[in-house]
Amino acid sequence: MIIKMSVNVTEQEISSVAERVRECGCQPHISRGVEYTVIGVVGKVEAFARLEALKAAPGVEDVVRISHPFKLVSRQGRDTRTTVAVGDVIIGGGDIVVIAGPCSVESREQLLNTARAVRAAGATMLRGGAYKPRTSPYDFQGLGVEALMFLKEASEETGLPVVTEVMGTEDVEIVSEYADMLQVGARNMQNYPLLRRLAKANRPVLLKRGASATVKEWLLAAEYLLAGGNSQVVLCERGIRTFETDMRNTLDLAAVAFAKELSHLPVVVDPSHATGRRSLIPMVSRAAVAVGADGLIIEVHPEPERALSDGPQSLDFDGFADLILRIKEPMPGLATVGVTA
Ligand code: PEP
Ligand code: MN
């Protein structure tokens, strides 16, 4: 951390800042330039958080952090990337992991049929909401424990590990009994009691980015999980809120590459919630893979026109099978970049 003092700083102000730095267990290194004096601070990240308040101290112009506040999530000082095992599926190991299934588990039949179809098409994990975070209290709220049982049954039959959302601390235990991976939804990304509880859960976590969260806030949310003892974390970009209204959200593709640059954690993309439009999902999925996503999470429903949630963004079985083929196709035009004939 560097503390930049103002041009007309006094010796008294410099020494009281240096004293505060020492009080917080850090070492101050004072450099006097022609115009500016700066104080380099060496110490622990916990102390830096307290020293940021020195922005308010007399004679201080700015306080700038050099190291990331998300020290466990950061790639700084690490040369290997994290891989996350969910059952026998490895996320971040090089293969694109495709997680597919309905937005909500609506019935045993709907879920089993979807699980069989997505497995046959090439999905490697199953998704399905049991506890649904719905904007309106009058919308379908999910089948709860009954849905968890259907998910378990579908997983046992197809061999696909399951990810499902957990909305509150009170549900972590029961959801962990039935699911292989616990999803933190966008609306809960900054629910710190939930993150702290999930840090103690014996399950990997899929952490969705909040609709209005910066990349750094997202990584700090992941830091809660790692700092609390759970290093099995996968980040999920699912679109952010912008001025665009024809699409449900705006997929922040650069954030996928940026999160991978800043962090060693795997990153997957959710083109379904990012666009809200089924027609866009194949091309957007290809773009996600092109920027380095480790996987995709896609909503699939036997009859999207009858879905109890998110029908317009859900692929039907044929659409999903087609998507899998499209992801594998070579990028049109790329082979001819730079060729002048
Ligand atoms: C979901 O995955 O069905 C969901 C509710 O996603 P998000 O939290 O990204 O809105
Ligand atoms: Mn959904």
Side-chain angles (χ1 to χ4, degrees):
M1 160 175 277
I2 290 173
I3 303 172
K4 181 183 175 198
M5 309 304 289
S6 27
V7 182
N8 49 7
V9 65
T10 65
E11 280 308 315
Q12 170 58 37
E13 287 164 346
I14 294 174
S15 48
S16 68
V17 167
E19 186 46 37
R20 175 67 184 143
V21 168
R22 276 189 221 98
E23 229 176 76
C24 290
C26 301
Q27 296 89 50
H29 297 274
I30 303 172
S31 317
R32 293 166 205 274
V34 182
E35 251 186 298
Y36 283 104
T37 294
V38 296
I39 305 180
V41 180
V42 180
K44 292 222 158 83
V45 74
E46 293 80 0
F48 292 169
R50 268 179 285 147
L51 288 172
E52 272 180 341
L54 282 173
K55 275 186 192 168
V60 172
E61 191 172 299
D62 206 1
V63 176
V64 183
R65 287 177 83 133
I66 310 281
S67 59
H68 293 138
F70 39 88
K71 61 175 181 177
L72 300 174
V73 160
S74 170
R75 262 181 81 188
Q76 282 172 343
R78 276 183 69 119
D79 37 39
T80 52
R81 300 201 69 90
T82 288
T83 57
V84 174
V86 189
D88 54 7
V89 172
I90 305 291
I91 307 181
D95 291 337
I96 302 298
V97 171
V98 181
I99 308 166
C103 176
S104 300
V105 176
E106 298 170 7
S107 69
R108 179 171 177 270
E109 191 193 10
Q110 172 244 19
L111 184 70
L112 284 174
N113 288 343
T114 309
R116 289 174 192 136
V118 299
R119 190 201 147 108
T124 39
M125 275 183 65
L126 179 64
R127 65 148 289 149
Y131 299 88
K132 294 303 302 176
R134 303 306 301 280
T135 304
S136 163
Y138 307 113
D139 287 342
F140 179 62
Q141 303 287 310
L143 296 179
V145 181
E146 199 185 7
L148 294 177
M149 291 178 185
F150 298 153
L151 284 164
K152 183 90 185 158
E153 183 182 352
S155 172
E156 279 167 359
E157 187 194 305
T158 58
L160 300 175
V162 160
V163 59
T164 193
E165 177 159 355
V166 53
M167 289 210 300
T169 51
E170 65 284 7
D171 296 328
V172 172
E173 203 175 315
I174 183 91
V175 179
S176 302
E177 257 175 56
Y178 289 93
D180 303 283
M181 184 180 215
L182 308 178
Q183 174 174 321
V184 176
R187 293 161 181 80
N188 261 327
M189 187 205 83
Q190 287 177 311
N191 179 339
Y192 300 117
L194 179 62
L195 296 175
R196 274 195 287 267
R197 174 65 187 85
L198 289 172
K200 303 289 174 221
N202 188 20
R203 287 280 178 270
V205 174
L206 181 70
L207 179 64
K208 289 197 152 193
R209 179 182 178 188
S212 301
T214 65
V215 171
K216 290 190 178 170
E217 286 163 348
W218 186 25
L219 297 182
L220 279 165
E223 186 80 11
Y224 271 83
L225 297 167
L226 272 72
N230 192 345
S231 57
Q232 294 286 285
V233 176
V234 175
L235 301 166
C236 177
E237 160 61 35
R238 46 76 74 203
I240 51 172
R241 183 71 64 96
T242 68
F243 51 80
E244 171 58 53
T245 52
D246 279 325
M247 288 178 288
R248 187 170 177 186
N249 289 290
T250 296
L251 178 59
D252 190 358
L253 276 177
V256 176
F258 191 38
K260 292 199 68 168
E261 195 172 289
L262 292 175
S263 169
H264 54 86
L265 297 174
V267 183
V268 302
V269 169
D270 175 345
S272 309
H273 292 88
T275 63
R277 288 174 173 265
R278 165 182 355 170
S279 63
L280 300 177
I281 290 170
M283 286 316 281
V284 167
S285 298
R286 283 162 65 77
V289 173
V291 294
D294 296 290
L296 299 164
I297 177 164
I298 313 272
E299 287 185 338
V300 180
H301 194 283
E303 293 173 289
E305 66 283 7
R306 291 171 179 265
L308 297 183
S309 61
D310 290 350
Q313 67 193 35
S314 299
L315 295 172
D316 61 16
F317 296 166
D318 287 345
F320 180 69
D322 193 49
L323 165 83
I324 295 282
L325 299 176
R326 300 276 303 276
I327 297 170
K328 294 180 181 159
E329 273 171 20
M331 297 276 174
L334 267 194
T336 55
V337 168
V339 174
T340 48

